[in-house]
Amino acid sequence: MNIIFLGPPGVGKGTQSRRLSECLGVPIVASGDMFREVRQTDSSLAREIRGYMDRGEYVPDGLTIKMVLNRLQQPDAMVGFILDGFPRTVPQAEALDEKLETDGRRIDHVILLEAPQNVILERLLGRWICSNCGRIYNRGSSSPQAPDTCAHCGAPLVRRTDEDPEVQRYRLEVFQRETAPMVEYYQSQGRLERVNAARPVDEVSAGIKQIVDGAVPA
Ligand code: AP5
């Protein structure tokens, strides 16, 4: 099954992608994670990507499309994939559709996670990630019991470099400006399925599961 998760920064795409990936046994293709890997290298490309990400801007379409479409050609993604954070612009969505059509594949579900901005900002303020396996945690005021280390692998939790509150707000603005037309692209084709992501994690997962299960042939 091939699924796209859309939604603003901090709405819970990474959290839900991980849960659904474990349930369906398909890989997550997360453009943000891929860029975070590249930016750790010592190259001019890494420096360029660091600049875009730390300012909260999108990486240019050409580079992003090439990187993600190449990843979708890997053998593990042939059985299915969950796209987290890609596409984000109309050219990215069109390039994805074209490539999948050429390959005789298609997207089964385009799922938009939605939550009010105050909920999102609260989540972003409390987000910590595992420095080793990338698992996502929240250590905000609503989760005082959250651990200092990863419950899965024991590594320390760290903050992302784009978690500065000013950058977070800017990333939300960029999402509205750049990604709203792409949401309309899927909406106008009757392909968009919306999930209220302002609810607790388990309830959001249940909403997503309903959508995904609805497509499983009897
Ligand atoms: P990326 O890494 O993709 O970031 P993002 O899309 O901005 O989304 P986030 O990862 O910030 O949030 P999320 O929705 O995954 O939420 P999460 O699950 O972590 O992109 C980073 C950068 O890379 C971009 O700014 C850009 O520069 C570049 N980039 C990436 N893709 C690109 C593309 N296609 N084109 C161009 N540039 C691109 O959850 C957030 C927090 O909330 C966590 O603490 C979590 O524990 C908590 N939480 C989650 N769900 C719930 C819930 N239901 N209730 C309570 N807490 C919750």
Side-chain angles (χ1 to χ4, degrees), residues 61-148:
D61 281 338
L63 187 58
T64 307
I65 290 167
K66 192 170 170 211
M67 177 185 75
V68 175
L69 296 190
N70 279 343
R71 173 66 185 89
L72 295 182
Q73 297 302 307
Q74 300 299 310
D76 65 333
M78 289 297 167
V79 293
F81 54 78
I82 296 171
L83 279 168
D84 164 8
F86 179 96
R88 283 185 207 225
T89 63
V90 172
Q92 291 181 16
E94 289 173 341
L96 176 67
D97 276 345
E98 268 171 39
K99 178 66 181 142
L100 292 180
E101 195 180 342
T102 307
D103 293 351
R105 299 196 281 174
R106 68 182 171 86
I107 296 294
D108 297 291
H109 294 286
V110 181
I111 300 174
L112 174 65
L113 301 182
E114 297 178 296
Q117 182 153 325
N118 61 321
V119 172
I120 288 171
L121 286 171
E122 174 80 22
R123 287 181 186 173
L124 285 172
L125 278 175
R127 175 170 57 194
W128 288 72
I129 57 168
C130 174
S131 53
N132 177 45
C133 69
R135 275 185 166 67
I136 304 163
Y137 293 87
N138 201 284
R139 292 167 63 182
S141 52
S142 60
S143 46
Q145 306 301 325
D148 292 329

Side-chain angles (χ1 to χ4, degrees), residues 174-209:
V174 171
F175 175 83
Q176 288 304 334
R177 191 178 65 231
E178 306 279 339
T179 303
M182 191 210 59
V183 170
E184 180 52 30
Y185 170 86
Y186 288 116
Q187 173 82 50
S188 65
Q189 297 175 24
R191 299 166 68 191
L192 194 70
E193 298 170 277
R194 294 171 186 266
V195 169
N196 171 8
R199 299 170 291 167
V201 174
D202 286 346
E203 286 182 32
V204 179
S205 300
I208 291 167
K209 192 83 182 21

Side-chain angles (χ1 to χ4, degrees), residues 8-15 31-32 35-36 53 57-59 64 85-86 88 92 123 127 136-138 160 162 171 197 199-201 204:
V11 76
K13 301 180 299 296
T15 302
S31 43
F35 285 134
R36 271 184 285 281
M53 291 182 86
E57 291 166 5
Y58 285 176
V59 177
T64 307
F86 179 96
R88 283 185 207 225
Q92 291 181 16
R123 287 181 186 173
R127 175 170 57 194
I136 304 163
Y137 293 87
N138 201 284
R160 272 174 39 175
D162 55 359
R171 284 168 59 213
R199 299 170 291 167
V201 174
V204 179

